[in-house]
Amino acid sequence: MIINISRYWSCLLILAPLLFASCKKDPQVTPVVNPPTTNPDPVGTRTQLTLDSIFLYAREVYYWNDALPEKETFDPRKYISGSSDLSNYNRELFDITQIKINPLTGKPYEFVAGSSNPNVSAGYAKYSYIQDRTTKNPTGFVPDRQSSVDLEGNGNDMGLALSAIGTADNYDIRIRYASPGSPAAKAGLGRGDVITKFNGVTVGSNFDSEVNHINNAMNGTSVTIAGKKKDGTAFDRTLTKTVYKSGPIYKDTVITTGSKKVGYLAYARFSNTENSKPALDQSFAEFASAGVTDLVIDLRYNGGGYVNVAQHLTNLIAPSSLNGTKMFSEKFNSTMQSGKATILKNQPLLDANDKVQYQNGRLVTYADIDYSEAQNTYNFSKAGSLNGIQQVIFIVTGNTASASELVINNLKPHMNVKVIGKQSYGKPIGFFPITVENRYDVYYSMFTSINSVGETDYFAGFTPDYDVADDVTRDFGDPAELSFAAALRFIDKGSFIAATNTLSSVFIKGGKQRVSSAAVAVREITPENDFKGMIETRHKIKR
């Protein structure tokens, strides 16, 4: 259930430390490219050479490469104590990412408090990660940063995400969301429904002892669940893990509040253009037809995805008066901007048909791309027919990251933007994959996004203008749901004053209370490690 990167990336071939293998769609081509030349050691096992490659690539493409020591000092081959090659590679990458210190916090830019990863005993980096390409969704699973639905809209599960709400000895299991098109959604289940039994075992009275049973039941190939829907009717369903295609929108609706019509959109992920663009275009066409004056964009579980889709959503929201002005730019490290990241000659640039490209008889590689900020600046270009929106409210949580935050940052200088919910994740960092050993895609932090007024350093996330609990007891788009209710109240009255912002319960993700004022805490049970990222697929070749 690791994300399945788009066709532009799915066939990238290893070049460090050995030779290229051909793309699966182009088996007749086997280009030979020289191995990395930055302090290589030509002698060693395949694992040792891969450890070398992970560090050597970081020395040139990692955003904070200025802090990395020489290869001999770092000694990448010391990572041999893990239970598998992947665990060793993860440990190495984690240590690389903990070197650069953020002066504002005194901690690494990629520090995550209290994080854990089965592959990395000391935790995982906040942004960078490694993906095993042999276990991508929908045919495999790795207990890393999995997502129940990948960025191509492929699911391979039952489609349920669950939360516990209440005290340890008196709690409900609520459906946080059911992925569109999933077995759960087809069974009529949705956000806010209560599950009281898993495989015949009643839960709700002892969370500490029952949570393992819940997780084991949900990790099986099928599960029988019983409970009550939001309207009080009982249900009893057996769900079977299935490969399915999922849409990216949980809910869209139009609500009238006072004299204003509000368009509400709950958006799951910035999936690829084929999956997201038609759905987004349809929602915004309906908003325009209904005469929507204000927008509420619900990104509370949206961990990001493709930058070009984030740009499209921005253009759907923004007024046409911004056309031709700067939306954002991407800033790579000085090594890449100056064309000195020569190690990228070992990564071929594939075309839209997953084939290698040649220019003047020479193989085109990622070293041929222009990484200057000027050539990676994008302007507004109005999309859709919804125009004249001057106010947009975003609903966010700690799961709102990367491409989601990019949209917010893009619009802040130009529109009345409000953020409600909980502190967002904080990821102004993007990447594209580097393939090693013809098996692992390494996602190094590579560039920061900068809006039209130079704002980029939201590493701690966006602080909400109004702090409100994630109300998992109500459906997306329900005017009584706490976050949406707060947004509607602000649109109607111009103020967040005199509103309740708490549920009445106990748990929080990780067992720690997020907000001291909240009477209820909500603990996310599964999935706990959704993808968080911002992937760039557009590249301009130097001429």
Side-chain angles (χ1 to χ4, degrees), residues 164 506-515 518 520-524:
V506 191
F507 276 173
I508 287 203
K509 189 173 182 181
K512 298 178 181 177
Q513 193 166 347
R514 291 179 183 169
V515 214
V520 177
V522 179
R523 179 171 183 172
E524 297 176 3

Side-chain angles (χ1 to χ4, degrees), residues 104-350:
L104 296 179
T105 64
K107 294 182 173 59
Y109 279 96
E110 298 214 45
F111 173 79
V112 182
S115 66
S116 63
N117 181 317
N119 295 315
V120 184
S121 60
Y124 61 80
K126 187 171 185 179
Y127 309 134
S128 304
Y129 72 101
I130 298 178
Q131 172 181 287
D132 186 342
R133 298 170 63 205
T134 67
T135 55
K136 288 180 181 178
N137 193 53
T139 58
F141 169 77
V142 170
D144 190 0
R145 294 189 179 184
Q146 74 272 15
S147 179
S148 57
V149 177
D150 68 17
L151 292 184
E152 278 60 56
N154 301 309
N156 181 27
D157 59 3
M158 300 164 201
L160 284 181
L162 306 178
S163 294
I165 178 171
T167 62
D169 58 359
N170 184 18
Y171 68 93
D172 286 339
I173 295 294
R174 295 273 182 164
I175 296 177
R176 191 163 68 253
Y177 60 81
S179 296
S182 68
K186 290 180 178 179
L189 302 177
R191 177 177 170 86
D193 293 345
V194 181
I195 302 176
T196 57
K197 291 183 179 181
F198 291 82
N199 290 336
V201 177
T202 299
V203 299
S205 61
N206 190 331
F207 182 84
D208 291 336
S209 65
E210 294 165 356
V211 66
N212 287 335
H213 170 72
I214 295 169
N215 281 319
N216 289 338
M218 292 303 299
N219 287 332
T221 57
S222 67
V223 62
T224 298
I225 55 177
K228 290 186 177 181
K229 295 184 63 61
K230 293 178 290 294
D231 61 7
T233 59
F235 69 84
D236 193 327
R237 304 279 192 275
T238 296
L239 305 178
T240 301
K241 180 181 177 182
T242 305
V243 174
Y244 59 93
K245 202 72 175 181
S246 184
I249 294 176
Y250 295 125
K251 181 77 173 288
D252 61 0
T253 189
V254 176
I255 299 289
T256 299
T257 178
S259 62
K260 298 180 179 180
K261 287 190 175 181
V262 180
Y264 170 88
L265 176 76
Y267 185 41
R269 67 195 63 82
F270 289 84
S271 52
N272 65 7
T273 299
E274 292 80 2
N275 188 253
S276 266
K277 187 176 183 297
L280 290 172
D281 288 349
Q282 180 178 340
S283 292
F284 275 78
E286 292 171 357
F287 291 162
S289 178
V292 161
T293 57
D294 299 77
L295 288 173
V296 177
I297 308 298
D298 192 339
L299 302 174
R300 73 183 79 196
Y301 307 131
N302 192 316
Y306 291 105
V307 176
N308 64 323
V309 179
Q311 184 177 345
H312 182 64
L313 177 57
T314 306
N315 279 320
L316 285 168
I317 297 170
S320 58
S321 59
L322 293 176
N323 283 351
T325 64
K326 178 181 176 180
M327 181 187 292
F328 71 100
S329 60
E330 296 169 349
K331 181 181 179 181
F332 293 82
N333 68 34
S334 59
T335 306
M336 295 184 73
Q337 289 197 58
S338 63
K340 295 180 181 178
T342 56
I343 197 169
L344 289 174
K345 292 179 179 179
N346 302 300
Q347 299 283 323
L349 181 64
L350 305 181

Side-chain angles (χ1 to χ4, degrees), residues 49-93:
L49 294 173
T50 298
L51 289 167
D52 287 348
S53 294
I54 290 171
F55 181 77
L56 293 176
Y57 274 107
R59 283 269 296 173
E60 297 191 16
V61 307
Y62 186 55
Y63 185 72
W64 294 287
N65 68 337
D66 61 316
L68 301 185
E70 295 292 333
K71 173 175 173 283
E72 291 74 18
T73 302
F74 184 80
D75 186 18
R77 297 190 181 188
K78 67 177 175 284
Y79 295 95
I80 58 175
S81 61
S83 59
S84 65
D85 284 344
L86 182 59
S87 66
N88 289 325
Y89 302 155
N90 267 300
R91 180 70 220 197
E92 178 189 13
L93 182 63

